[in-house]
Amino acid sequence: CDDSDSVNIDKLVVLLLLQLDSEVLESVLSSEDPVAVATEVAEAIANTQSKENMSYRETLESLLLPIGDVHKLLALLVAELDPSYEDEMIETADVQDSETQLAMSQLFASPVSERLLADIVGRRCLARLMVTTDLLLLISLLQHQGKVQNVNRVLYKLSTLLQNYHTLHWLCCQSVVPTSPLSLENNMRQLAALNISSCSRQPPINSGYIPMSYVPFFAREM
């Protein structure tokens, strides 16, 4: 699979999105069974007998023709959306020494850095969520039209990734307020009275009551 194949896949996605509206995309995102909804969308597109739809089918055929192995290319794209694929790439890299790891942990310890990391995570999750949704709809359409076979495992993988990225993006968008220092002190006293010690790190005192997403709270415990 070369770069031209990937470009054709991008064109196929754009072509497909021109046939859909925002409500269709939202129905896929909010469904407990994204594959079922994507299949219904593919059937609706395939059964439309309009002049625009016929032109769409001709363009689709012309874009698919140069691609040698459509199934292999789509499977590769789905694999690259999987975080475990990145973990394997990281494992092959050189392990950082303890001093470098300590410096990095201190670099991202401030509230500003936490919010910056949370924003990066949110944007990354949103981008992957959109790509996953697009590929799910595209593969469902290609399967319905008989252009690809034996893609049920790929569709299931995409469905799982879509739900995971949707949840992560939701967490990035939910606003919460940190516990006040006074409430935290009272809680610590209650734990001490029960002979229970807190194993989590103390949140920065200067975090105040500034609303933020859930992600910085997870980052503090890492």
Side-chain angles (χ1 to χ4, degrees):
C1 300
D2 53 29
D3 293 340
S4 62
D5 291 340
S6 299
V7 171
N8 281 348
I9 290 295
D10 290 339
K11 292 180 179 179
L12 285 171
V13 169
V14 173
L15 189 66
L16 173 61
L17 294 178
L18 292 175
Q19 309 294 315
L20 308 174
D21 54 34
S22 58
E23 294 181 358
V24 172
L25 297 176
E26 183 61 34
S27 66
V28 177
L29 291 174
S30 60
S31 173
E32 295 182 0
D33 189 354
V35 175
V37 177
T39 300
E40 293 177 1
V41 173
E43 292 176 352
I45 294 177
N47 294 332
T48 302
Q49 300 296 327
S50 64
K51 183 178 180 180
E52 291 77 9
N53 187 264
M54 295 299 294
S55 176
Y56 158 73
R57 293 183 185 181
E58 293 176 358
T59 306
L60 184 145
E61 292 284 353
S62 65
L63 291 173
L64 283 176
L65 189 60
I67 301 178
D69 191 335
V70 180
H71 186 281
K72 180 179 179 181
L73 177 59
L74 293 173
L76 178 62
L77 292 174
V78 174
E80 291 182 349
L81 287 169
D82 189 349
S84 62
Y85 177 84
E86 294 183 350
D87 292 340
E88 295 177 359
M89 300 296 292
I90 293 174
E91 289 177 359
T92 60
D94 295 334
V95 179
Q96 295 177 340
D97 56 49
S98 57
E99 293 184 359
T100 302
Q101 293 180 355
L102 178 61
M104 293 296 292
S105 64
Q106 293 175 342
L107 175 64
F108 295 106
S110 69
V112 174
S113 297
E114 290 173 351
R115 288 192 291 272
L116 175 61
L117 286 175
D119 184 62
I120 293 173
V121 171
R123 292 174 183 272
R124 185 180 181 87
C125 288
L126 178 60
R128 293 197 168 205
L129 177 61
M130 295 297 99
V131 173
T132 303
T133 305
D134 295 344
L135 282 178
L136 180 63
L137 288 166
L138 176 62
I139 296 176
S140 298
L141 179 63
L142 295 178
Q143 182 185 44
H144 186 270
Q145 296 185 348
K147 305 302 180 183
V148 292
Q149 288 81 32
N150 302 321
V151 290
N152 289 335
R153 179 177 297 182
V154 174
L155 289 174
Y156 175 77
K157 183 68 175 179
L158 277 172
S159 176
T160 303
L161 289 173
L162 186 150
Q163 293 172 329
N164 290 342
Y165 284 127
H166 196 190
T167 301
L168 289 172
H169 182 252
W170 179 85
L171 287 172
C172 292
C173 295
Q174 298 307 301
S175 180
V176 295
V177 178
T179 304
S180 68
L182 179 60
S183 297
L184 182 61
E185 182 179 354
N186 291 334
N187 291 338
M188 296 301 294
R189 288 178 179 175
Q190 294 177 8
L191 290 175
L194 297 173
N195 294 323
I196 300 176
S197 61
S198 174
C199 60
S200 61
R201 292 192 292 122
Q202 295 282 346
I205 296 177
N206 61 352
S207 60
Y209 302 94
I210 301 175
M212 60 182 69
S213 73
Y214 283 105
V215 178
F217 291 97
F218 285 105
R220 290 175 185 177
E221 301 302 325
M222 296 178 62

